[in-house]
Amino acid sequence: MLSILVVDDDETVRGTLVEFFETFGHTARSAATATEGRRLANEHAPDVVLLDLRLPDANGIVALDALLADDPELAVIVLTGHADVQTAVNAMQHGAIDLLEKPMDLEALAGAVERAAKRGRLQQEVAVLRAHARADESTAPALAPTLDDLINLAARNADAPVLLQGETGTGKGYVARQIHDRSARNQSPFVEINCASLSTTFFESELFGHERGAFTDARQAKRGLLEVAGEGTIFLDEIAEMSTDVQPRFLKVLEERTFRRLGGTTALRSNARVIGATHQPLADAVADRRFRADLYYRLQVLTLTLPPLRARPDEILPMARAFLMKGASLTRAAEDALVAYRWPGNIRELKNTLWRAAILAEHAPIDVVHLGLLGGPVAPASSEPANRLRTLEEAEREAIRIALAAHDGNRSAAARALGIARSTLLEKLKKFGL
């Protein structure tokens, strides 16, 4: 059962909410002012605070700041009868978990409180990890959880949505897969979809599925990824690019766990865990009215920010050696060049650079000239005389051969590495006789 504190100057609202939550067996208290609310929060340490933005003795944002100053891990839901995008962004920036507009649907409020309590517990777990790190600072240099710690935290809390943020190429897809593989859902499917790669109709078809005749090319019914994922994980890459037409339907999935196929009338249930990823701050998309504030709050239960590769110089060479195809090696000069480079494309650029270098080195140790890094020397297209340029077909054939070798003949993995569809790869394999 939860402990809930309602801070609102409207006596009717206070009484209604206290009575409503007590019917669920929760402990509910109320306060009419920010001062009284702060006192009760300090005395009873509630799981969730419902805070009105307009109070007689303080602005709601000021009251929010005061509550979080006393307890940074406190889960606060802001209530307002005058909601707008800027209000939502301000509340989020000051630490609110959610913002609900009056008059409220009580069932939706109950769901919001459950989610806020869950996120509050996650924040407390992170705080405990940080406290342990600080307590061990005399023997261990880390003062905060490592990325691996946070991946494990996300994996343990296998129902909470996760938001991954970081520059393009920082490994968000890899981290999403690690969270799934380490969680209790790892026996169920991991499915992914890029929110920026499809038109609205085809994206909805991929995500929700469709019935026969739902649109022009829908010649037969199709299960969507939410159905395919089952009890597993659905990974939404570049979620900031999700169409504004789709966002309300996806919000319903997060709130009610139900959806309908395109053209369908039957409500289907989704039990999949949601992981979203973006290379741009979602708060900016909310401020620009490109992303719904309420959907943002539902997604950011646990947010992991992946640092760029240039901020992790000690990891560059171990990663590089892991990416090398079998039998390939690096000269000392090449290793120094890899560490010195800034890697604007992050891990993805490192991986592609090494694949290209392996092709150019042609079984010799990879040197600086083969890496072709910005500002460095560039290798010729082959070891043959400079006037013998390799044809595009020859270069393409060699790139496919290297990709297949690097992935032990796995055609799907090789196609992803080359940035082409598997069907395209199969056509080229036939064409080149590979």
Side-chain angles (χ1 to χ4, degrees), residues 140-423:
L143 297 177
T146 65
L147 180 60
D148 199 60
D149 291 330
L150 294 175
I151 289 174
N152 287 332
L153 174 62
R156 287 198 303 273
N157 295 274
D159 293 329
V162 177
L163 179 62
L164 303 177
Q165 298 185 138
E167 295 179 7
T168 298
T170 48
K172 296 185 287 294
Y174 170 79
V175 170
R177 186 68 199 227
Q178 284 293 303
I179 291 172
H180 171 79
D181 287 348
R182 300 184 197 183
S183 77
R185 297 176 178 270
N186 60 11
Q187 298 303 307
S188 298
F190 175 90
V191 297
E192 60 181 287
I193 183 171
N194 190 305
C195 299
S197 63
L198 299 170
S199 67
T200 299
T201 299
F202 284 105
F203 178 80
E204 288 186 297
S205 172
E206 284 293 301
L207 186 61
F208 302 114
H210 63 254
E211 301 292 353
R212 181 180 178 182
F215 50 89
T216 303
D217 294 325
R219 296 183 177 87
Q220 61 186 35
K222 174 186 174 182
R223 298 171 68 213
L225 293 182
L226 284 170
E227 289 182 74
V228 173
E231 300 285 338
T233 301
I234 182 162
F235 173 49
L236 298 161
D237 199 8
E238 298 301 346
I239 198 167
E241 302 298 326
M242 181 182 285
S243 165
T244 53
D245 294 331
V246 180
Q247 290 176 31
R249 293 192 64 191
F250 188 65
L251 177 62
K252 183 181 175 78
V253 174
L254 291 179
E255 289 185 330
E256 303 176 15
R257 289 294 187 179
T258 60
F259 66 96
R260 287 197 294 266
R261 293 177 180 175
L262 288 182
T265 57
T266 303
L268 302 173
R269 183 162 183 82
S270 170
N271 293 315
R273 197 245 187 101
V274 173
I275 300 179
T278 176
H279 73 278
Q280 56 179 303
L282 275 188
D284 291 349
V286 171
D288 293 340
R289 299 175 183 264
R290 292 182 290 107
F291 203 84
R292 294 175 62 110
D294 47 5
L295 178 53
Y296 172 50
Y297 298 136
R298 301 307 189 271
L299 287 169
Q300 61 150 8
V301 171
L302 184 59
T303 301
L304 307 185
T305 301
L306 279 59
L309 188 54
R310 59 183 173 275
R312 300 178 278 166
D314 293 343
E315 299 179 25
I316 292 174
L317 288 183
M319 281 188 192
R321 295 183 185 115
F323 292 150
L324 287 174
M325 63 175 292
K326 290 180 180 179
S329 62
L330 294 162
T331 66
R332 180 60 182 272
E335 291 182 347
D336 292 343
L338 291 174
V339 173
Y341 187 58
R342 295 286 292 169
W343 299 109
N346 293 296
I347 298 172
R348 185 177 298 137
E349 183 185 7
L350 173 63
K351 183 184 294 186
N352 291 335
T353 294
L354 291 168
W355 284 339
R356 182 183 66 244
I359 294 172
L360 296 175
E362 297 187 328
H363 309 297
I366 295 172
D367 206 346
V368 177
V369 70
H370 304 119
L371 296 174
L373 299 177
L374 188 63
V378 180
S382 74
S383 58
E384 298 179 17
N387 61 356
R388 166 57 169 95
L389 293 177
R390 184 179 297 183
T391 66
L392 289 176
E393 280 196 3
E394 289 172 336
E396 190 174 43
R397 187 181 191 280
E398 184 67 6
I400 290 172
R401 186 189 66 77
I402 292 292
L404 285 170
H407 293 88
D408 297 323
N410 186 312
R411 294 177 176 181
S412 296
R416 286 195 296 271
L418 292 166
I420 59 177
R422 188 176 187 275
S423 58

Side-chain angles (χ1 to χ4, degrees), residues 83-138:
D84 57 34
V85 172
Q86 192 56 52
T87 300
V89 172
N90 286 344
M92 175 273 299
Q93 290 175 338
H94 284 258
I97 282 181
D98 208 342
L99 183 142
L100 298 178
E101 186 174 3
K102 298 178 181 178
M104 295 160 292
D105 178 278
L106 291 179
E107 289 188 9
L109 176 61
V113 166
E114 291 287 346
R115 289 188 295 272
K118 183 178 292 185
R119 183 181 172 190
R121 288 191 290 269
L122 289 173
Q123 290 176 326
Q124 289 166 6
E125 279 202 59
V126 173
V128 169
L129 283 171
R130 288 180 176 141
H132 287 169
R134 285 193 294 271
D136 295 337
E137 64 181 347
S138 59

